[in-house]
PDB file of all heavy atoms in Angstrom:
ATOM      1  N   GLY A 281     -16.377 -12.756   6.843  1.00  0.00           N
ATOM      2  CA  GLY A 281     -16.986 -13.748   5.958  1.00  0.00           C
ATOM      3  C   GLY A 281     -18.031 -13.177   5.019  1.00  0.00           C
ATOM      4  O   GLY A 281     -18.916 -13.884   4.520  1.00  0.00           O
ATOM      5  N   VAL A 282     -17.908 -11.886   4.753  1.00  0.00           N
ATOM      6  CA  VAL A 282     -18.899 -11.170   3.948  1.00  0.00           C
ATOM      7  C   VAL A 282     -18.586 -11.338   2.457  1.00  0.00           C
ATOM      8  O   VAL A 282     -17.454 -11.617   2.089  1.00  0.00           O
ATOM      9  CB  VAL A 282     -18.826  -9.674   4.372  1.00  0.00           C
ATOM     10  CG1 VAL A 282     -19.473  -8.752   3.378  1.00  0.00           C
ATOM     11  CG2 VAL A 282     -19.390  -9.500   5.769  1.00  0.00           C
ATOM     12  N   THR A 283     -19.590 -11.160   1.592  1.00  0.00           N
ATOM     13  CA  THR A 283     -19.339 -11.094   0.155  1.00  0.00           C
ATOM     14  C   THR A 283     -19.073  -9.642  -0.234  1.00  0.00           C
ATOM     15  O   THR A 283     -19.887  -8.758   0.032  1.00  0.00           O
ATOM     16  CB  THR A 283     -20.554 -11.618  -0.638  1.00  0.00           C
ATOM     17  OG1 THR A 283     -20.741 -12.995  -0.306  1.00  0.00           O
ATOM     18  CG2 THR A 283     -20.351 -11.469  -2.136  1.00  0.00           C
ATOM     19  N   THR A 284     -17.911  -9.402  -0.853  1.00  0.00           N
ATOM     20  CA  THR A 284     -17.478  -8.046  -1.171  1.00  0.00           C
ATOM     21  C   THR A 284     -17.527  -7.797  -2.674  1.00  0.00           C
ATOM     22  O   THR A 284     -17.018  -8.610  -3.442  1.00  0.00           O
ATOM     23  CB  THR A 284     -16.026  -7.856  -0.667  1.00  0.00           C
ATOM     24  OG1 THR A 284     -16.053  -7.860   0.750  1.00  0.00           O
ATOM     25  CG2 THR A 284     -15.422  -6.572  -1.139  1.00  0.00           C
ATOM     26  N   VAL A 285     -18.106  -6.662  -3.046  1.00  0.00           N
ATOM     27  CA  VAL A 285     -18.136  -6.277  -4.462  1.00  0.00           C
ATOM     28  C   VAL A 285     -16.832  -5.555  -4.792  1.00  0.00           C
ATOM     29  O   VAL A 285     -16.386  -4.678  -4.049  1.00  0.00           O
ATOM     30  CB  VAL A 285     -19.337  -5.342  -4.734  1.00  0.00           C
ATOM     31  CG1 VAL A 285     -19.267  -4.760  -6.141  1.00  0.00           C
ATOM     32  CG2 VAL A 285     -20.649  -6.092  -4.518  1.00  0.00           C
ATOM     33  N   VAL A 286     -16.210  -5.962  -5.904  1.00  0.00           N
ATOM     34  CA  VAL A 286     -14.963  -5.332  -6.359  1.00  0.00           C
ATOM     35  C   VAL A 286     -15.220  -4.796  -7.756  1.00  0.00           C
ATOM     36  O   VAL A 286     -15.367  -5.572  -8.697  1.00  0.00           O
ATOM     37  CB  VAL A 286     -13.812  -6.376  -6.404  1.00  0.00           C
ATOM     38  CG1 VAL A 286     -12.516  -5.710  -6.832  1.00  0.00           C
ATOM     39  CG2 VAL A 286     -13.663  -7.089  -5.069  1.00  0.00           C
ATOM     40  N   ASP A 287     -15.302  -3.485  -7.888  1.00  0.00           N
ATOM     41  CA  ASP A 287     -15.604  -2.908  -9.204  1.00  0.00           C
ATOM     42  C   ASP A 287     -14.333  -2.350  -9.821  1.00  0.00           C
ATOM     43  O   ASP A 287     -13.712  -1.445  -9.276  1.00  0.00           O
ATOM     44  CB  ASP A 287     -16.650  -1.787  -9.044  1.00  0.00           C
ATOM     45  CG  ASP A 287     -16.977  -1.154 -10.391  1.00  0.00           C
ATOM     46  OD1 ASP A 287     -16.802  -1.829 -11.430  1.00  0.00           O
ATOM     47  OD2 ASP A 287     -17.389   0.021 -10.411  1.00  0.00           O
ATOM     48  N   GLU A 288     -13.987  -2.883 -10.991  1.00  0.00           N
ATOM     49  CA  GLU A 288     -12.794  -2.394 -11.683  1.00  0.00           C
ATOM     50  C   GLU A 288     -13.044  -1.076 -12.393  1.00  0.00           C
ATOM     51  O   GLU A 288     -12.116  -0.384 -12.776  1.00  0.00           O
ATOM     52  CB  GLU A 288     -12.328  -3.425 -12.728  1.00  0.00           C
ATOM     53  CG  GLU A 288     -11.543  -4.556 -12.137  1.00  0.00           C
ATOM     54  CD  GLU A 288     -11.063  -5.540 -13.197  1.00  0.00           C
ATOM     55  OE1 GLU A 288     -10.724  -5.110 -14.319  1.00  0.00           O
ATOM     56  OE2 GLU A 288     -11.049  -6.750 -12.899  1.00  0.00           O
ATOM     57  N   GLY A 289     -14.310  -0.728 -12.565  1.00  0.00           N
ATOM     58  CA  GLY A 289     -14.642   0.476 -13.336  1.00  0.00           C
ATOM     59  C   GLY A 289     -14.514   1.727 -12.497  1.00  0.00           C
ATOM     60  O   GLY A 289     -14.267   1.689 -11.298  1.00  0.00           O
ATOM     61  N   GLU A 290     -14.701   2.861 -13.166  1.00  0.00           N
ATOM     62  CA  GLU A 290     -14.632   4.152 -12.488  1.00  0.00           C
ATOM     63  C   GLU A 290     -16.042   4.637 -12.172  1.00  0.00           C
ATOM     64  O   GLU A 290     -17.028   4.079 -12.650  1.00  0.00           O
ATOM     65  CB  GLU A 290     -13.916   5.174 -13.383  1.00  0.00           C
ATOM     66  CG  GLU A 290     -12.472   4.816 -13.684  1.00  0.00           C
ATOM     67  CD  GLU A 290     -11.633   4.542 -12.439  1.00  0.00           C
ATOM     68  OE1 GLU A 290     -11.887   5.185 -11.395  1.00  0.00           O
ATOM     69  OE2 GLU A 290     -10.765   3.654 -12.494  1.00  0.00           O
ATOM     70  N   TYR A 291     -16.104   5.728 -11.425  1.00  0.00           N
ATOM     71  CA  TYR A 291     -17.408   6.280 -11.035  1.00  0.00           C
ATOM     72  C   TYR A 291     -18.244   6.633 -12.265  1.00  0.00           C
ATOM     73  O   TYR A 291     -17.768   7.241 -13.213  1.00  0.00           O
ATOM     74  CB  TYR A 291     -17.222   7.552 -10.183  1.00  0.00           C
ATOM     75  CG  TYR A 291     -18.527   8.308 -10.043  1.00  0.00           C
ATOM     76  CD1 TYR A 291     -19.448   7.925  -9.071  1.00  0.00           C
ATOM     77  CD2 TYR A 291     -18.859   9.337 -10.920  1.00  0.00           C
ATOM     78  CE1 TYR A 291     -20.667   8.572  -8.961  1.00  0.00           C
ATOM     79  CE2 TYR A 291     -20.083   9.989 -10.820  1.00  0.00           C
ATOM     80  CZ  TYR A 291     -20.977   9.604  -9.848  1.00  0.00           C
ATOM     81  OH  TYR A 291     -22.181  10.232  -9.751  1.00  0.00           O
ATOM     82  N   ASP A 292     -19.486   6.264 -12.202  1.00  0.00           N
ATOM     83  CA  ASP A 292     -20.479   6.660 -13.188  1.00  0.00           C
ATOM     84  C   ASP A 292     -21.828   6.434 -12.493  1.00  0.00           C
ATOM     85  O   ASP A 292     -22.084   5.337 -11.994  1.00  0.00           O
ATOM     86  CB  ASP A 292     -20.362   5.774 -14.438  1.00  0.00           C
ATOM     87  CG  ASP A 292     -21.516   6.005 -15.388  1.00  0.00           C
ATOM     88  OD1 ASP A 292     -21.480   7.008 -16.108  1.00  0.00           O
ATOM     89  OD2 ASP A 292     -22.477   5.192 -15.382  1.00  0.00           O
ATOM     90  N   ALA A 293     -22.649   7.468 -12.419  1.00  0.00           N
ATOM     91  CA  ALA A 293     -23.858   7.385 -11.591  1.00  0.00           C
ATOM     92  C   ALA A 293     -24.699   6.168 -11.961  1.00  0.00           C
ATOM     93  O   ALA A 293     -25.122   5.386 -11.102  1.00  0.00           O
ATOM     94  CB  ALA A 293     -24.665   8.666 -11.735  1.00  0.00           C
TER      95      ALA A 293
END
Side-chain angles (χ1 to χ4, degrees):
V282 163
T283 297
T284 291
V285 171
V286 182
D287 179 25
E288 280 182 36
E290 297 307 327
Y291 167 83
D292 171 79

